[in-house]
Amino acid sequence: MRYISTRGGVEPISFQDAVLMGLADDGGLLIPESLPDVADRLPRWRDMDYCELAFEVMRLFATDLPEDDLRGLVDMTYGPAYGGPVAPTREVGPFYVVELWHGPTLAFKDVALQFLGNLFEYTLARRGGELNILGATSGDTGSAAICGCRGRDGIRIFILHPEGGVSPIQKRQMTTVLDENVHNIAIEGSFDDCQSIVKSLASDLDFKARYSLGAVNSINWARVMAQVTYFFSALFDVQKMSGAAQAQVCVPTGNFGDILAGWYAMKMGAPISRLLLATNENDILARFFDTGEYSRGEVRQTLAPAMDIQVASNFERYLYYRVGEDPERLKALMDQFQLTGAFQLELGDAEAVDPDLVADTGRRQDCLDTIRQFYVRHDYLLDPHTAVGVSVAKRHQLDHAPTLCLATAHPAKFPDAVRQAVGEDVAHHPEIDALMQRPTRCETLPGDEGAVRRYIEHAVEDGL
Ligand SMILES: *Cc1c(COP(=O)(O)O)cnc(C)c1O
């Protein structure tokens, strides 16, 4: 399998090259040249354990890795070292819920980032050289990425977060990691400022080459690929538990990464009847699927901060398919968006309607009501991101198919939202409770690209 850019400006490259490149050199995103159809393999896949299934999914995409090596990486990631089951599914009230938060930082991002850390280390060990990971986080990506890369040979990781813009727990999950190769940087600015500094440095190809910059944001293809597996595994679980042939899947969405993995799984033949895309008040995606208009708004702070995003970095991949895999058209739309903050696909135009995807918004009160309702009625605690999804799922239940909701974080990561919803301090986890006692390390920099550039140069040149 080879990888091309959504904007058409990169010669086809291998899987490992795509993973190291992160953002495509022409400013687009890397995607596989074709999508495998696995429908006839489903009966065989159904009874596999998570490691076997992950190997089967990934071998379709990571074709430049020897199969034994890929199997080794998968087992190393999702075996006992993972720390818990990867994607257990349970029935909760009217829904099935797949809990994706059993990894080391208690959010679904561990599923992909634990794998990516192992993969980076593997590739660097064979090719030599080093990698300087640069990423921006509004909360959960940072801790999961840091946890995936800490202490690894040949890797430094620089994670920018908006000063004051992440929760105290999220901040501690990042800054209590004291490994020398981990650089936490608080930026005096917003998450979008952090993301644009990262984008701008990663688009400076001289700088990117000289300092071997790599990406862990969900634009990295390996992340999307790793997430495809759990859509299959959870759908198989729902089939077994419910007897239904298909289910609809509800995904709380920020950067369009997780739902993109679901969309790929659906296109490959996973038994998904349709996808429900849930946003919070930052509803640019929900508006797009309603009206065909994609227009940037002000970022609003909500109870689900990992979804407080206006410009969803992975949306470009989806859009590429929606405009008929036409890189010229895609590039024109992205250029227009860059310039004016908006574009419009004509409604009625085949481009604007997607029968496989329904989008809706879960607002603050929906989120709080849903956390409370599930706690009281089903004795089950949802985190606010999952609750945004579940609140949307409640509005779109089907008679003929069950609904699977993705649970993206452990509620103990967001105790304030849970307290507001149920009136008591019930969201706890021993790992989170222990964080407040540990020492921290973090640098603060102004919100400009030059300051971050100099910090990285300094760290790399001094071998820090
Ligand atoms: C990152 C995150 C999301 C959003 O996922 P995307 O892939 O960015 O759409 C939802 N919930 C939680 C808890 C997250 O950390």
Side-chain angles (χ1 to χ4, degrees):
M1 179 74 75
R2 295 187 311 166
Y3 291 82
I4 54 174
S5 166
T6 48
R7 302 196 190 176
V10 174
E11 286 300 311
I13 56 177
S14 72
F15 170 75
Q16 286 179 82
D17 286 333
V19 172
L20 290 181
M21 189 179 278
L23 186 68
D25 283 348
D26 65 353
L29 300 187
L30 295 162
I31 49 171
E33 230 173 6
S34 63
L35 276 188
D37 177 352
V38 301
D40 60 347
R41 302 179 202 204
L42 298 185
R44 202 165 54 80
W45 283 13
R46 256 171 75 98
D47 294 315
M48 291 181 170
D49 68 21
Y50 198 87
C51 285
E52 290 172 312
L53 187 60
F55 170 71
E56 291 294 331
V57 169
M58 293 189 191
R59 69 191 288 205
L60 301 170
F61 295 105
T63 47
D64 62 341
L65 289 179
E67 296 212 327
D68 284 348
D69 293 3
L70 178 61
R71 202 183 288 276
L73 287 170
V74 165
D75 290 348
M76 193 195 301
T77 307
Y78 301 122
Y82 194 72
V86 183
T89 302
R90 40 195 290 183
E91 195 172 351
V92 182
F95 300 127
Y96 294 88
V97 173
V98 55
E99 295 174 342
L100 299 170
W101 43 254
H102 291 270
T105 73
L106 310 180
F108 85 94
K109 292 185 173 80
D110 289 325
V111 179
L113 284 163
Q114 288 292 308
F115 178 76
L116 188 58
N118 283 324
L119 178 62
F120 277 147
E121 197 170 51
Y122 167 91
T123 300
L124 290 174
R126 269 147 201 82
R127 296 190 174 185
E130 57 177 38
L131 191 62
N132 292 300
I133 300 292
L134 175 61
T137 186
S138 58
D140 285 346
T141 304
S143 50
I146 286 167
C147 190
C149 293
R150 66 185 296 180
R152 289 186 187 274
D153 287 339
I155 301 179
R156 279 184 206 88
I157 179 162
F158 301 86
I159 293 292
L160 315 186
H161 66 265
E163 160 126 89
V166 299
S167 80
I169 287 174
Q170 287 176 320
K171 178 140 185 155
R172 291 223 148 223
Q173 276 195 303
M174 297 190 280
T175 58
T176 54
V177 179
L178 302 179
D179 300 67
E180 281 195 356
N181 71 331
V182 173
H183 298 264
N184 278 293
I185 302 174
I187 292 289
E188 295 164 344
S190 69
F191 169 66
D192 283 338
D193 295 332
C194 296
Q195 191 145 268
S196 80
I197 292 173
V198 169
K199 246 204 139 157
S200 144
L201 289 174
S203 313
D204 177 343
L205 296 186
D206 282 342
F207 185 78
K208 185 178 177 186
R210 176 134 37 103
Y211 291 97
S212 311
L213 286 199
V216 284
N217 288 51
S218 55
I219 56 157
N220 194 304
W221 169 254
R223 280 189 60 183
V224 179
M225 175 191 76
Q227 289 171 212
V228 169
T229 303
Y230 58 65
F231 283 89
F232 281 99
S233 82
L235 264 296
F236 294 145
D237 287 342
V238 174
Q239 283 181 326
K240 287 173 202 163
M241 292 161 85
S242 72
Q246 289 199 319
Q248 66 171 345
V249 184
C250 181
V251 187
T253 305
N255 256 324
F256 206 85
D258 211 1
I259 192 151
L260 180 74
W263 187 86
Y264 276 117
M266 182 165 65
K267 293 295 151 192
M268 289 165 66
I272 299 175
S273 60
R274 67 176 183 183
L275 292 166
L276 289 177
L277 180 157
T279 71
N280 60 25
E281 283 88 343
N282 296 287
D283 61 353
I284 177 172
L285 289 165
R287 284 185 287 117
F288 169 79
F289 284 97
D290 265 358
T291 65
E293 180 187 319
Y294 191 65
S295 65
R296 190 202 309 254
E298 282 293 302
V299 179
R300 302 198 21 207
Q301 299 213 343
T302 75
L303 297 171
M307 297 159 65
D308 290 349
I309 291 169
Q310 283 289 337
V311 183
S313 52
N314 255 299
F315 182 63
E316 177 166 342
R317 284 190 169 109
Y318 172 80
L319 195 60
Y320 171 81
Y321 297 99
R322 281 295 295 279
V323 299
E325 306 185 31
D326 175 352
E328 294 303 320
R329 172 112 172 89
L330 188 273
K331 193 171 169 329
L333 290 172
M334 296 314 293
D335 287 347
Q336 187 186 344
F337 185 74
Q338 180 74 22
L339 220 59
T340 66
F343 65 74
Q344 168 86 49
L345 293 188
E346 288 314 315
L347 272 185
D349 191 325
E351 275 179 355
V353 190
D354 187 342
D356 294 331
L357 204 156
V358 174
D360 202 354
T361 301
R363 297 179 188 283
R364 179 186 173 82
Q365 202 55 47
D366 303 324
C367 172
L368 291 171
D369 291 348
T370 302
I371 294 174
R372 179 172 176 78
Q373 185 191 44
F374 271 64
Y375 182 60
V376 172
R377 286 199 200 151
H378 309 301
D379 195 20
Y380 189 83
L381 211 45
L382 301 166
D383 98 283
H385 303 78
T386 307
V388 167
V390 170
S391 76
V392 163
K394 285 196 287 188
R395 271 182 241 142
H396 295 274
Q397 281 174 263
L398 298 172
D399 291 335
H400 60 275
T403 301
L404 171 70
C405 294
L406 268 54
T408 52
H410 190 284
K413 293 190 81 164
F414 304 96
D416 293 343
V418 173
R419 193 181 315 110
Q420 283 184 56
V422 307
E424 289 169 71
D425 194 12
V426 286
H428 283 282
H429 188 285
E431 266 302 306
I432 300 289
D433 292 340
L435 283 177
M436 294 304 157
Q437 317 306 326
R438 299 201 185 126
T440 62
R441 185 156 61 85
C442 182
E443 188 78 25
T444 303
L445 292 179
D448 75 80
E449 187 221 82
V452 176
R453 182 189 291 265
R454 284 188 296 279
Y455 181 89
I456 294 173
E457 287 170 353
H458 180 78
V460 173
E461 274 149 25
D462 293 358
L464 296 175

